[in-house]
Amino acid sequence: MNGCKTFDHYRIKLIVVLFISFLFHLPSESTAATKAEISKFQRSIVDYRRQLNPKFKKIRRANTNYIIVHTSELSLNSTLKVISKGKRLPTGRKTRGGHTHYVIARDGRTYRTLDRRYVADHAGKSMWNGKTNISEISIGIELVGNHYRPITRHQYRSIGLLIDILQGVYSLSDREVLTHSQVAYGYPNRWFRKNHRGRKRCAKNFIRSKAGLGPTWAYDPDVRARRLMADPQLADVFYGRRKRQTKSDETNIISKSNTAWSIAGEDYDKRITVYKFPNGHTYTGDQISEKIGWHRLPAKTAVLLNQETSMEETKDIGPIKTIPVGRSAWSLAGKAYNRKTTIYFLPSGKIKYGSTISNWGNLPVKTKIIIGYRGPFKIRKNRTAYHIAGVRFRDRNTIYYLPTQKILAGNHIKNFNKLPSGTLIFLPIS
Ligand SMILES: [Zn+2]
């Protein structure tokens, strides 16, 4: 009896399992895009090619063997700017743009940044299956966002359609769609004594099935052939037994398993990477080894990528800048952060010159900064704004600090006669 019951039970279970697996193995037409969808998507692509840096050298690609997926680690505006115009490298050199063929925004909107016939400078130091310089034989797609946050469903939809189209054009299989983090490699460093994976974290959060992609490599061919050392975290993500990385990897917060290296890759010790400690102190990557020590980074430190480019984004908002949550003084003032002419207005009401601040980690959020200024000059009864600033007293670059701790630009002051005595003026140097 018992055995019979178990058998029945087993049979029902089997039927259910078969039915479910049937559902999952329905012909792919059920999810594949229709021709109409594809052509609608194609027409929706924004042509951004005219923004390309004229100094970028267009070279026709002889072979197209791969499609490489990236995450940009920047906002949409910064992504488009960097991709098209170029970026400043830690060495100070500026690149010439042409850093990918397509950019896909968080809302799925897709931009064509470079004609796909040309070589884009997108993969850097890279190797796959023994072949190096993957940029020369691949198409690059940038997804706007971070490698530690989910890619949006709009992005998955667009990249799915885009990959479909490109696979048709270049006869590429699903195996030939890879992420930048899979193909990038780096030279030996403090963590690896030989050439290794892990230089880039780009698109490690890319879930292939969500883009309609099928099977891929079950192993890293260059690690297997001992050309490269594996990066343990990435190896686990791409070739590990567990299906996807655990949630803890998908953050920019430091933990035992999520190190500075696993979050920032090769940029871990660069000035563009900012470490925000749980106590609110912030340091740039180039300050850590000297001031803190890499092994002493506190758990729960947030790692913020590409802060330099984000800095350029906020440059044009007028002379008074505020340190936002998660940013350092450096991200606002750049090299000028510790100069006498960079003036800090602390929320406590204190005013400090960059040259007199020693504990940069202690700068509170909401500190305001003006860069390239001299002062203060005090307004008194017989010394008006006009006496101090001359004809530029109404100028947007002339800064007023009221006794109420309000900071105003000259063009925002309505009645200069009502400026309280004791108001301080700061004048731009140039
Ligand atoms: Zn990348």
Side-chain angles (χ1 to χ4, degrees), residues 118-166:
Y118 301 120
V119 173
D121 178 15
H122 66 99
K125 210 178 304 136
S126 50
M127 182 194 292
W128 192 254
N129 211 6
K131 275 211 167 170
T132 53
N133 205 355
I134 299 302
S135 289
E136 285 182 357
I137 51 169
S138 67
I139 294 216
I141 305 173
E142 285 282 350
L143 294 166
V144 173
N146 299 108
H147 68 74
Y148 51 81
R149 277 196 200 114
I151 291 157
T152 70
R153 68 187 163 85
H154 308 286
Q155 288 179 307
Y156 277 120
R157 201 189 122 71
S158 294
I159 200 169
L161 293 166
L162 182 56
I163 287 173
D164 247 18
I165 294 167
L166 295 171

Side-chain angles (χ1 to χ4, degrees), residues 68-71 122-123 142 180-181 200 202-203:
I68 306 297
V69 181
H70 304 254
T71 40
H122 66 99
E142 285 282 350
H180 192 197
S181 41
K200 285 283 175 187
C202 244

Side-chain angles (χ1 to χ4, degrees), residues 35-289:
K35 266 190 182 166
E37 271 180 300
I38 287 182
S39 77
K40 190 180 167 204
F41 169 74
Q42 239 161 348
R43 276 181 277 118
S44 77
I45 296 178
V46 179
D47 193 352
Y48 206 74
R49 288 175 293 183
R50 260 171 299 172
Q51 299 299 320
L52 183 64
N53 185 340
K55 283 186 189 156
F56 177 77
K57 249 199 204 152
K58 288 176 180 167
I59 299 167
R60 271 183 187 265
R61 202 172 47 252
N63 296 299
T64 306
N65 303 338
Y66 299 106
I67 294 169
I68 306 297
V69 181
H70 304 254
T71 40
S72 69
E73 317 300 329
L74 287 169
S75 69
L76 173 62
N77 286 343
S78 292
T79 303
L80 286 170
K81 194 173 156 198
V82 165
I83 292 295
S84 302
K85 304 290 186 207
K87 58 187 163 190
R88 195 171 296 283
L89 300 173
T91 57
R93 191 174 72 85
K94 230 191 151 199
T95 68
R96 295 179 167 186
H99 288 303
T100 200
H101 298 94
Y102 301 94
V103 169
I104 302 180
R106 302 293 285 176
D107 66 1
R109 185 173 292 258
T110 303
Y111 298 78
R112 179 180 289 112
T113 45
L114 175 67
D115 193 302
R116 59 174 160 75
R117 287 174 299 175
Y118 301 120
V119 173
D121 178 15
H122 66 99
K125 210 178 304 136
S126 50
M127 182 194 292
W128 192 254
N129 211 6
K131 275 211 167 170
T132 53
N133 205 355
I134 299 302
S135 289
E136 285 182 357
I137 51 169
S138 67
I139 294 216
I141 305 173
E142 285 282 350
L143 294 166
V144 173
N146 299 108
H147 68 74
Y148 51 81
R149 277 196 200 114
I151 291 157
T152 70
R153 68 187 163 85
H154 308 286
Q155 288 179 307
Y156 277 120
R157 201 189 122 71
S158 294
I159 200 169
L161 293 166
L162 182 56
I163 287 173
D164 247 18
I165 294 167
L166 295 171
Q167 283 183 313
V169 174
Y170 296 104
S171 311
L172 299 174
S173 74
D174 288 358
R175 261 167 79 89
E176 284 142 351
V177 181
L178 298 161
T179 67
H180 192 197
S181 41
Q182 278 179 289
V183 303
Y185 79 94
Y187 294 137
N189 63 14
R190 58 183 291 120
W191 282 286
F192 301 92
R193 61 197 153 72
K194 286 164 69 182
N195 287 351
H196 59 89
R197 291 288 183 214
R199 182 175 70 81
K200 285 283 175 187
R201 269 27 227 189
C202 244
K204 88 179 206 306
N205 54 346
F206 179 62
I207 300 171
R208 300 171 59 88
S209 60
K210 289 195 179 180
L213 289 167
T216 177
W217 294 74
Y219 58 91
D220 183 325
D222 301 300
V223 169
R224 180 167 284 193
R226 293 172 184 270
R227 287 181 284 262
L228 299 176
M229 284 175 79
D231 175 279
Q233 191 203 41
L234 287 185
D236 205 19
V237 168
F238 292 116
Y239 318 107
R241 285 192 175 202
R242 51 183 185 154
K243 273 204 172 117
R244 285 294 309 166
Q245 63 265 52
T246 58
K247 268 255 153 84
S248 70
D249 293 345
E250 284 195 351
T251 75
N252 61 331
I253 309 296
I254 288 192
S255 67
K256 257 187 193 157
S257 62
N258 211 30
T259 61
W261 171 253
S262 16
I263 298 162
E266 66 176 345
D267 290 335
Y268 77 98
D269 61 350
K270 305 284 190 298
R271 216 160 36 178
I272 57 172
T273 306
V274 170
Y275 292 83
K276 187 163 188 286
F277 286 17
N279 62 9
H281 296 186
T282 56
Y283 298 91
T284 53
D286 58 335
Q287 297 176 322
I288 297 289
S289 86

